[in-house]
Amino acid sequence: MATKREDVITNILLKKGLVTQGQIDRARDEMKKTGLGLEKTLERMGFITEGDLVNILAESMGVLYVNMEDYLIDPEVAKLIPEEMARKHRVIPLFKIGDTLTVAMANPKDIIAIDDLRMRGKFGQIEPVFSTEKQIAKAIEQYYGVTGSVEDIMNSMGPGKIPFTATTEDVDARLLTREAEQAPIVKLVNMIITQAVKEKASDIHVEPEEDKVRVRYRIDGILHEVSTPPKHLQSVLISRIKILSKMDIAESRKPQDGRMLMRMENKKIDLRVSSFPTIHGENIVMRILDKSSLVLGLKDLGFGEREFKEFDKLIRLPYGIMLVTGPTGSGKTTTLYSALSTINSLEINVITVEDPVEYELPLIRQTQINPKAGLTFAAGMRAILRQDPDVIMVGEIRDKETAETAVQASLTGHLVLSTLHTNDASSSLPRLIDMGIEPFLLSTSIIGILAQRLVRVICKECKQKYTPPDELSKELRIKEKFDFYKGKGCSLCKGSGYSGRLGIYELLLMSEEVKKLIIARASTDQIRELARKEGMRILREDGIDKVKKGITTIEEVLRVTEAV
């Protein structure tokens, strides 16, 4: 006779269409021979997969399922439950919000274990989620098997203690895989990633050198060294990262690209991974895409009042090309995503073609280019035009074909948003002409060009007045008197004096006079001079305005802008 639990699982399976009643009956007959439970029998007979099974078990218990293999636990959170208690109750802490601790349990219905955790840990509430015994046991070994800092973990893996290889060349891939799955190296990589996320880094650099490996984080646009693992850990450290990002660990002579999706606390972390062969081994860079940190409100990006009003007006026009320019890492993609989020609605059809798709936006159809399959920016745009779009976002205009397609799209009644790699707004027009686009087409299709940079924001916790050197004020041509500020350096900003970044902008509008200069193939300087007479503030002027408001420093503005 079926138990109540088996009836619940059966109903869920049938409702979801994962099995038929005939398969259930056959599984019950098999159960009589083997003595196994219903779900295990269905899995062994091939009627459901392990993935189906864990999700069904979680649903039958009324809790969420968490795959611990894709989950990053903050080492500080792991300390909230002692190791002996974690092993006794087969639990692992995931994150804490307020006085509620969320834990993964092999048996989320174990009331005794939940009460014991709550009382001994003095938590207001324990929120259980489901994970398998195997995954929890592995997580316990990873997070409790080796304790301490990154340095402590590295010391526990000294030469001779664990037989790590020094290089990936001519080494059996199976050996590298076994080494990369040992608890200390798993914890080391997890800690490097979790620490980067906590410190709001945008990139993690793992850089092999002659006698060591250097790990650096890019925080607010600046690289900071965080640790230097010894050379004997190089191959296994890089192999672990490559395994997680689905890259070929046996191939170290060619560049590779990979991706890993992780969960940390209650948010998803997307890491885009790139390997590049160097004379001392493979260099790894991991770009961290944290959706929870994406700013999508235009007003939060740092626009001045005039620039905000004009840019907001431009992105609401029914057709034309709106360009955002600047070097890599200047925030162009964030600005475009913010623009799309501002105008996005059920009344319009928005489609993008990107490289890569960094964040998924609701209601918007997004695709990623694949040159090997023939899906370039230009090919993607041509296909998009057959999808009845209102707004098209193109990740970047790199060549004449893409530029021509964008112009054609704008002239046939579509709003096109895209980026271009130029130093300022005015130089974008001669650049497009150099690509081969006719000036008269640009004058009728371009509606505006926004150039931008990111400056670091003064840390609010250690902000103080100071008097900058006279030569800096002279270089920025600052004559009026006002209070200057900088960050002294504190624990919050890790001594840098800065916390977070904000945009500085220059917005070139297409007046009739500017259009005449475009048709006349005028130079960048001529276009800039006219635009400034018509009210355009250049990047450095917007930066100086933010210095006056105490948002950033003279040094930052000088670092990211050029004199004009």
Side-chain angles (χ1 to χ4, degrees):
M1 183 176 177
T3 64
K4 183 178 180 180
R5 180 172 176 276
E6 288 176 350
D7 286 338
V8 171
I9 291 174
T10 298
N11 289 335
I12 295 172
L13 288 168
L14 292 172
K15 186 177 180 181
K16 290 182 176 293
L18 294 173
V19 296
T20 64
Q21 185 60 54
Q23 289 171 328
I24 293 288
D25 294 339
R26 286 168 59 190
R28 291 193 190 282
D29 291 337
E30 185 68 19
M31 287 168 59
K32 296 173 184 177
K33 302 175 186 177
T34 63
L36 293 174
L38 175 63
E39 60 271 17
K40 283 291 184 183
T41 302
L42 288 166
E43 184 185 359
R44 284 187 61 179
M45 296 178 73
F47 295 150
I48 60 174
T49 65
E50 183 181 9
D52 293 331
L53 177 58
V54 293
N55 283 298
I56 291 301
L57 290 174
E59 188 171 340
S60 69
M61 291 182 281
V63 296
L64 293 174
Y65 165 66
V66 172
N67 184 352
M68 294 303 302
E69 294 180 359
D70 298 330
Y71 203 95
L72 293 172
I73 300 174
D74 186 338
E76 294 301 314
V77 174
K79 295 177 183 177
L80 296 175
I81 293 180
E83 180 179 353
E84 65 273 13
M85 186 178 288
R87 294 185 183 278
K88 174 184 175 183
H89 295 305
R90 295 174 296 168
V91 303
I92 190 85
L94 300 182
F95 58 90
K96 182 174 179 284
I97 299 178
D99 63 350
T100 299
L101 180 69
T102 298
V103 298
M105 304 181 67
N107 181 10
K109 295 297 184 181
D110 188 343
I111 304 300
I112 295 175
I114 292 173
D115 286 342
D116 190 23
L117 292 170
R118 184 172 59 245
M119 289 186 292
R120 289 182 60 183
K122 297 181 181 179
F123 301 110
Q125 188 175 347
I126 298 294
E127 186 73 31
V129 298
F130 171 66
S131 193
T132 66
E133 283 192 41
K134 182 179 178 181
Q135 289 181 11
I136 290 175
K138 188 174 180 180
I140 288 173
E141 293 303 321
Q142 290 172 6
Y143 290 98
Y144 292 108
V146 182
T147 59
S149 65
V150 169
E151 287 69 28
D152 293 332
I153 298 171
M154 292 190 297
N155 290 335
S156 75
M157 299 184 289
K161 296 181 181 179
I162 300 177
F164 293 139
T165 51
T167 146
T168 56
E169 294 181 7
D170 302 321
V171 176
D172 190 330
R174 289 173 294 180
L175 173 61
L176 283 173
T177 301
R178 283 200 304 272
E179 291 180 352
E181 290 180 347
Q182 294 188 53
I185 196 65
V186 170
K187 185 171 183 180
L188 175 60
V189 172
N190 286 353
M191 189 169 287
I192 288 172
I193 296 174
T194 55
Q195 185 179 334
V197 174
K198 287 170 66 177
E199 295 189 16
K200 298 181 179 179
S202 60
D203 302 86
I204 303 170
H205 290 240
V206 181
E207 304 164 335
E209 297 187 1
E210 185 176 3
D211 57 350
K212 62 187 174 186
V213 181
R214 192 185 306 277
V215 177
R216 295 195 289 173
Y217 296 161
R218 187 177 293 279
I219 301 172
D220 293 336
I222 304 296
L223 282 168
H224 303 266
E225 182 178 306
V226 292
S227 63
T228 53
K231 190 69 175 178
H232 72 271
L233 295 182
Q234 176 177 314
S235 66
V236 72
L237 174 61
I238 291 172
S239 294
R240 178 62 187 169
I241 295 170
K242 291 172 72 175
I243 288 171
L244 289 172
S245 51
K246 309 292 191 297
M247 296 161 71
D248 183 359
I249 66 170
E251 177 56 75
S252 60
R253 297 165 297 178
K254 297 179 181 178
Q256 295 187 63
D257 293 309
R259 180 184 184 186
M260 63 176 93
L261 296 170
M262 313 291 283
R263 291 189 65 88
M264 181 177 172
E265 297 185 350
N266 57 349
K267 57 187 178 183
K268 294 180 180 179
I269 308 295
D270 188 350
L271 293 101
R272 306 296 171 93
V273 185
S274 169
S275 72
F276 185 78
T278 71
I279 58 172
H280 296 305
E282 288 181 277
N283 196 81
I284 299 287
V285 176
M286 293 179 273
R287 169 63 58 89
I288 302 172
L289 303 176
D290 181 359
K291 294 181 182 180
S292 65
S293 66
L294 179 65
V295 177
L296 290 178
L298 281 180
K299 291 184 178 180
D300 300 322
L301 298 181
F303 280 103
E305 185 176 347
R306 174 185 177 272
E307 287 79 12
F308 172 77
K309 287 182 179 179
E310 295 294 345
F311 184 72
D312 185 66
K313 187 187 302 180
L314 291 172
I315 62 175
R316 296 179 190 277
L317 293 177
Y319 53 85
I321 299 175
M322 179 69 227
L323 292 175
V324 180
T325 77
T328 300
S330 59
K332 300 187 298 295
T333 300
T334 297
T335 298
L336 287 180
Y337 279 157
S338 299
L340 291 180
S341 296
T342 299
I343 62 176
N344 191 22
S345 72
L346 287 170
E347 285 73 38
I348 63 172
N349 182 19
V350 182
I351 307 180
T352 75
V353 54
E354 308 172 50
D355 181 28
V357 174
E358 294 190 14
Y359 298 97
E360 295 179 19
L361 302 175
L363 268 184
I364 295 176
R365 264 62 61 198
Q366 297 170 265
T367 190
Q368 185 165 310
I369 69 167
N370 185 352
K372 291 181 180 179
L375 181 57
T376 61
F377 280 125
M381 282 195 67
R382 288 194 295 271
I384 286 172
L385 289 172
R386 296 190 289 272
Q387 292 284 307
D388 186 32
D390 296 291
V391 179
I392 302 170
M393 188 190 96
V394 189
E396 183 184 343
I397 293 179
R398 297 176 179 171
D399 50 44
K400 179 181 179 182
E401 186 181 10
T402 306
E404 286 179 336
T405 310
V407 168
Q408 292 168 6
S410 69
L411 295 177
T412 53
H414 304 88
L415 178 64
V416 179
L417 307 180
S418 190
T419 71
L420 194 67
H421 281 285
T422 57
N423 290 327
D424 57 21
S426 305
S427 61
S428 300
L429 295 163
R431 171 73 180 279
L432 288 167
I433 293 173
D434 289 343
M435 280 186 184
I437 306 302
E438 291 294 334
F440 77 91
L441 291 176
L442 290 179
S443 67
T444 54
S445 59
I446 302 288
I447 56 175
I449 303 174
L450 180 76
Q452 67 177 75
R453 297 290 189 279
L454 293 176
V455 293
R456 290 181 291 173
V457 175
I458 300 170
C459 175
K460 294 180 180 178
E461 292 298 315
C462 60
K463 184 176 181 179
Q464 62 179 20
K465 290 182 183 179
Y466 88 117
T467 302
D470 290 340
E471 58 267 23
L472 293 184
S473 296
K474 290 178 181 178
E475 190 171 349
L476 287 179
R477 301 173 187 171
I478 297 175
K479 297 180 180 179
E480 64 267 46
K481 298 291 183 180
F482 56 87
D483 291 329
F484 292 88
Y485 293 89
K486 71 174 183 178
K488 181 180 180 180
C490 63
S491 58
L492 180 68
C493 63
K494 300 198 178 297
S496 69
Y498 299 96
S499 181
R501 289 190 291 177
L502 207 61
I504 58 174
Y505 304 92
E506 67 178 41
L507 180 59
L508 174 61
L509 302 175
M510 294 294 107
S511 67
E512 290 303 318
E513 294 303 315
V514 170
K515 290 180 180 180
K516 290 178 183 178
L517 286 183
I518 296 172
I519 294 173
R521 297 177 182 265
S523 68
T524 295
D525 291 340
Q526 290 173 305
I527 295 171
R528 184 190 299 114
E529 184 180 354
L530 175 60
R532 292 182 72 178
K533 287 180 180 177
E534 293 181 345
M536 182 184 81
R537 290 195 306 176
I538 62 173
L539 288 166
R540 181 162 284 191
E541 289 170 337
D542 191 28
I544 292 171
D545 185 56
K546 288 179 171 60
V547 171
K548 293 178 181 178
K549 293 177 180 178
I551 295 172
T552 191
T553 64
I554 289 182
E555 291 84 354
E556 269 298 282
V557 175
L558 288 172
R559 182 177 69 86
V560 302
T561 64
E562 299 174 354
V564 177

